[in-house]
């Protein structure tokens, strides 16, 4: 088909799928690891999926056949669900979701279901917010490193620009006032109107929760600049150890002065990570801004959550005994997995950023780079992908400004597979070390030879 027949959107390549983040997935698809069928295949460590607590949901489903077979009190509600298409969502589901969101935050905040907009995942929630808050050519500031999918979700169809807030390893990648102001100035220099800041808390890819000071800084910043703050809290239920998670909703509630920015703060949530259900496509926007809620609700027509999904999940999430047990057990399992990964990496001489949340670690492989550049990072990434057989995400795909950091996921595979991945990585690091020490001793012996030759020729000259 001639290109002119298609839209510019359809033919431009700003979707971001050619990033190494997605290329790694493609390589994995060609040669996926399987214990029996393909034991030398690539292990997928680039996918932030939570498969650790599926058995808990499966056993709930087995014990509750009614909602699974679209029944209520033994009567089929198939017809009711088949016809339901209200973009306001099912009241019972919104209530259950709002309550679950509070429970994850230890009931320190209460979410009002009428301020909740249902969307097909956080992907749709983030894009919808862009459509509500910004025009084409406006900018959002995002702290780096950030989730690679944002290039697609925030920019592609909306025409909104992302300006990175450069964070560095020197303070554990925390957001500082200088970094915020610097990003704001860079946007202005590019003649972009800044409409807001978007953070992920807990952070993808860092696996850390935002410090209270960072949240206060952000709330003061958006108050001064008169802009929005989006807090993507998709990982809020994955916080497995201290420090505690503070939702932006909690920070807002605690300081009276923040009332004036209440309308500028929006929360994104989804069940893709906490319940491990990315295939169900369930997300939400929570906002105190009535106009945003009304506009986003209308827009949600383009990405509704299906009625049978809402029905099933309202039954699961309304079971308080189940949710309490699930949250607790899921935390425990994530914590165990996280320490397995950290320990495995440590055995291979690899450090990680200290973290307490998420489904991944932010791994420091700077010492394994052949050169401290992004070319060096790509070279190492390719070796790890093709020679070691691990698909991990390079920091550059997350817009990290320091080469040598990688994101490694730990909750989408079995314990045995995680152990195997660590074994492969350790063998690789051992090989690199051996090669380096061989090279070092070769260099040393070359220098020794050279010194020997130099001193013996000096001796000869002295004799003559
Ligand atoms: C920070 C963040 N936001 C949004 C998403 C998209 O989530 P969903 O599957 O709910 O669309 C992801 C998925 O990895 C994510 O990490």
């Amino acid at each position: 088909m001639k290109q002119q027949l298609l839209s510019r959107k359809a033919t431009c390549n700003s979707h971001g799928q050619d990033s190494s983040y997605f290329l790694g997935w493609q390589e994995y698809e060609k040669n996926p690891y399987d214990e029996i069928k393909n034991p030398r295949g690539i292990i997928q460590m680039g996918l932030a999926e939570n498969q650790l607590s599926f058995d808990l949901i499966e056993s709930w489903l087995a014990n509750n056949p009614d909602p699974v077979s679209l029944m209520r009190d033994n009567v089929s509600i198939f017809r009711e669900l088949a016809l339901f298409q209200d973009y306001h969502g099912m009241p019972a589901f919104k209530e259950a979701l709002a309550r679950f969101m509070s429970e994850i935050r230890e009931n320190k905040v209460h979410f009002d279901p009428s301020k909740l907009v249902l969307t097909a995942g956080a992907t749709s929630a983030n894009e919808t917010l862009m459509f509500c808050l910004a025009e084409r050519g406006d900018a959002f500031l995002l702290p780096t490193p950030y989730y690679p999918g944002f290039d697609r979700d925030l920019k592609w169809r909306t025409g909104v620009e992302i300006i990175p807030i450069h964070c560095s390893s020197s303070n554990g990648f925390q957001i500082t006032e200088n970094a915020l102001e610097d990003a704001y100035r860079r946007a202005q220099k590019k003649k972009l109107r800044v409409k807001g800041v978007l953070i992920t808390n807990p952070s993808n890819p860092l696996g850390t929760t935002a410090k209270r000071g960072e949240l206060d800084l952000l709330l003061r910043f958006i108050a001064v600049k008169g802009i929005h703050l989006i807090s993507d809290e998709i990982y809020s239920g994955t916080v497995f150890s201290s420090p505690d998670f503070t939702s932006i909703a909690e920070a807002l509630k605690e300081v009276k002065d923040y009332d004036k920015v209440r309308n500028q703060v929006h929360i994104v949530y989804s069940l893709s990570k906490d319940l491990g259900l990315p295939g169900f496509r369930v997300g939400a926007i929570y906002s105190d801004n009535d106009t945003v809620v009304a506009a986003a609700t209308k827009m949600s027509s383009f990405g509704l959550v299906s009625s049978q999904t809402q029905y099933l999940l309202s039954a699961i999430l309304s079971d308080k005994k189940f949710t309490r047990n699930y949250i607790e057990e899921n935390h425990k399992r994530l914590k165990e997995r996280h320490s397995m990964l950290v320990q495995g990496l440590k055995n291979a001489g690899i450090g990680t950023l200290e973290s307490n949340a998420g489904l991944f670690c932010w791994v420091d492989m700077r010492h394994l780079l052949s050169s401290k550049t992004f070319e060096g990072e790509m070279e190492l990434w390719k070796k790890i992908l093709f020679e070691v057989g691990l698909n991990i995400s390079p920091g550059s795909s997350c817009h990290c400004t320091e080469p040598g950091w990688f994101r490694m996921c730990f909750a989408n595979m079995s314990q045995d597979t995680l152990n195997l991945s660590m074994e492969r990585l350790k063998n690789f690091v051992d090989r690199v070390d051996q090669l380096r020490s061989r090279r070092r001793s070769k260099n040393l012996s070359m220098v020794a030879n050279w010194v020997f030759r130099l001193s013996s020729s000096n001796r000869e000259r002295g004799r003559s």
Side-chain angles (χ1 to χ4, degrees):
M1 197 182 299
K2 273 194 203 144
Q3 278 225 331
Q4 302 90 283
L5 284 177
L6 302 176
S7 72
R8 253 175 292 168
K9 185 107 321 176
T11 52
C12 76
N13 67 353
S14 61
H15 172 271
Q17 71 174 10
D18 46 1
S19 130
S20 47
Y21 178 70
F22 294 113
L23 291 181
W25 288 8
Q26 284 168 22
E27 288 308 321
Y28 164 77
E29 295 293 343
K30 288 184 213 160
N31 181 21
Y33 167 78
D34 182 274
E35 193 184 342
I36 311 289
K37 289 190 226 131
N38 191 17
R40 290 167 164 272
I42 296 174
I43 298 175
Q44 175 61 292
M45 303 188 87
L47 193 54
E49 267 179 2
N50 181 6
Q51 298 184 15
L52 301 189
S53 301
F54 272 163
D55 59 310
L56 303 181
I57 301 178
E58 280 163 345
S59 95
W60 188 94
L61 294 174
N63 292 329
N64 294 272
D66 256 22
V68 183
S69 44
L70 310 183
M71 308 275 276
R72 188 193 293 134
D73 303 329
N74 270 333
V75 179
S76 169
I77 56 159
F78 165 76
R79 289 176 182 219
E80 194 184 310
L81 293 175
L83 294 174
F84 179 84
Q85 53 170 306
D86 185 347
Y87 60 32
H88 291 97
M90 284 180 185
F93 176 54
K94 284 170 81 176
E95 235 161 74
L97 183 63
R99 201 194 59 77
F100 184 63
M101 287 168 68
S102 302
E103 192 179 358
I104 281 170
R105 290 158 185 79
E106 293 166 352
N107 293 309
K108 290 179 196 156
V109 276
H110 168 76
F111 291 100
D112 174 354
S114 73
K115 296 177 178 180
L116 208 55
V117 181
L118 299 182
T119 59
T123 301
S124 171
N126 279 314
E127 190 194 52
T128 301
L129 277 174
M130 288 302 115
F131 277 123
C132 290
L133 309 178
E135 304 296 339
R136 169 172 300 278
D138 287 348
F140 260 76
L141 312 181
L142 266 71
T144 63
Y146 64 76
Y147 161 55
F150 282 146
D151 290 323
R152 170 199 61 201
D153 305 349
L154 309 184
K155 287 165 62 174
W156 184 41
R157 299 199 299 185
T158 64
V160 169
E161 300 285 336
I162 293 177
I163 299 293
I165 303 167
H166 297 308
C167 300
S168 92
S169 60
S170 59
N171 69 346
F173 297 95
Q174 283 181 54
I175 305 168
T176 63
E177 190 167 1
N178 280 344
L180 268 177
E181 291 290 355
D182 171 62
Y184 195 86
R185 266 195 305 274
R186 274 186 285 115
Q188 282 185 320
K189 240 189 197 160
K190 289 185 164 180
K191 306 243 176 314
L192 299 172
R193 191 164 58 138
V194 176
K195 293 306 294 287
V197 181
L198 185 149
I199 59 163
T200 62
N201 181 26
S203 161
N204 176 8
L206 301 177
T208 53
T209 42
K211 304 266 178 305
R212 184 54 203 263
E214 286 176 278
L215 299 182
D216 288 327
L217 170 68
L218 286 162
L219 289 169
R220 285 197 306 270
F221 183 76
I222 64 153
V224 171
K225 306 288 189 202
I227 58 176
H228 295 273
L229 174 62
I230 299 174
S231 181
D232 181 336
E233 300 187 356
I234 187 171
Y235 294 98
S236 48
T238 67
V239 187
F240 49 79
S241 62
S242 60
D244 279 353
F245 165 64
T246 309
S247 166
I248 199 70
E250 201 182 325
L252 263 181
K253 192 178 118 185
E254 282 174 8
V255 180
K256 185 91 196 84
D257 203 36
Y258 294 154
D259 273 351
K260 57 179 186 263
V261 290
R262 187 169 288 281
N263 274 344
Q264 293 156 234
V265 178
H266 321 280
I267 294 174
V268 165
Y269 186 57
S270 151
L271 296 179
S272 297
K273 312 297 175 180
D274 294 352
L275 280 191
L277 304 175
F280 278 31
R281 308 311 302 140
V282 182
I285 295 167
Y286 187 85
S287 176
D288 269 322
N289 187 318
D290 295 341
T291 317
V292 169
V293 170
T297 303
K298 283 185 259 170
M299 285 184 202
S300 72
S301 291
F302 297 103
L304 292 176
V305 183
S306 76
S307 52
Q308 72 268 40
T309 300
Q310 291 191 53
Y311 177 64
L312 174 63
L313 286 170
S314 65
I316 298 180
L317 296 182
S318 302
D319 184 340
K320 290 186 187 156
K321 200 167 148 219
F322 168 77
T323 54
R324 197 178 323 120
N325 177 52
Y326 180 92
I327 292 171
E328 198 183 310
E329 186 60 29
N330 188 44
H331 285 172
K332 210 170 91 198
R333 294 180 187 187
L334 287 170
K335 188 176 177 170
E336 274 168 19
R337 266 319 163 78
H338 170 266
S339 51
M340 265 181 75
L341 178 62
V342 171
Q343 197 50 50
L345 290 167
K346 205 168 160 192
N347 287 344
I350 297 172
T352 50
L353 182 78
E354 202 178 321
S355 60
N356 62 328
L359 311 173
F360 30 73
C361 280
W362 189 236
V363 180
D364 183 359
M365 299 211 213
R366 286 177 291 183
H367 60 294
L368 294 173
L369 297 181
S370 60
S371 69
K372 290 186 172 33
T373 60
F374 286 110
E375 288 74 36
E377 181 178 286
M378 271 299 122
E379 191 191 312
L380 179 60
W381 176 69
K382 281 184 189 155
K383 272 190 190 151
I384 294 176
L385 180 63
F386 295 110
E387 289 175 26
V388 187
L390 306 179
N391 178 38
I392 61 178
S393 309
S396 52
S397 68
C398 304
H399 301 266
C400 185
T401 50
E402 297 172 25
W405 291 90
F406 293 82
R407 190 192 73 168
M408 278 178 134
C409 298
F410 56 76
N412 61 323
M413 66 193 81
S414 70
Q415 254 185 39
D416 287 347
T417 310
L418 185 59
N419 282 332
L420 175 66
S421 71
M422 291 299 100
E423 206 180 294
R424 287 184 183 182
L425 198 60
K426 174 141 176 41
N427 289 340
F428 170 70
V429 175
D430 287 349
R431 281 201 305 275
V432 172
D433 285 347
Q434 276 166 14
L435 211 75
R436 280 183 179 172
S437 73
R438 237 180 279 146
R439 237 183 252 146
R440 224 175 296 130
S441 51
K442 199 171 154 200
N443 285 347
L444 275 177
S445 73
M446 268 164 61
V447 172
N449 262 343
W450 179 76
V451 171
F452 176 73
R453 263 189 277 130
L454 196 73
S455 61
S456 55
S457 76
N458 279 351
R459 266 200 307 278
E460 297 215 328
R461 233 178 288 137
R463 250 184 256 141
S464 59

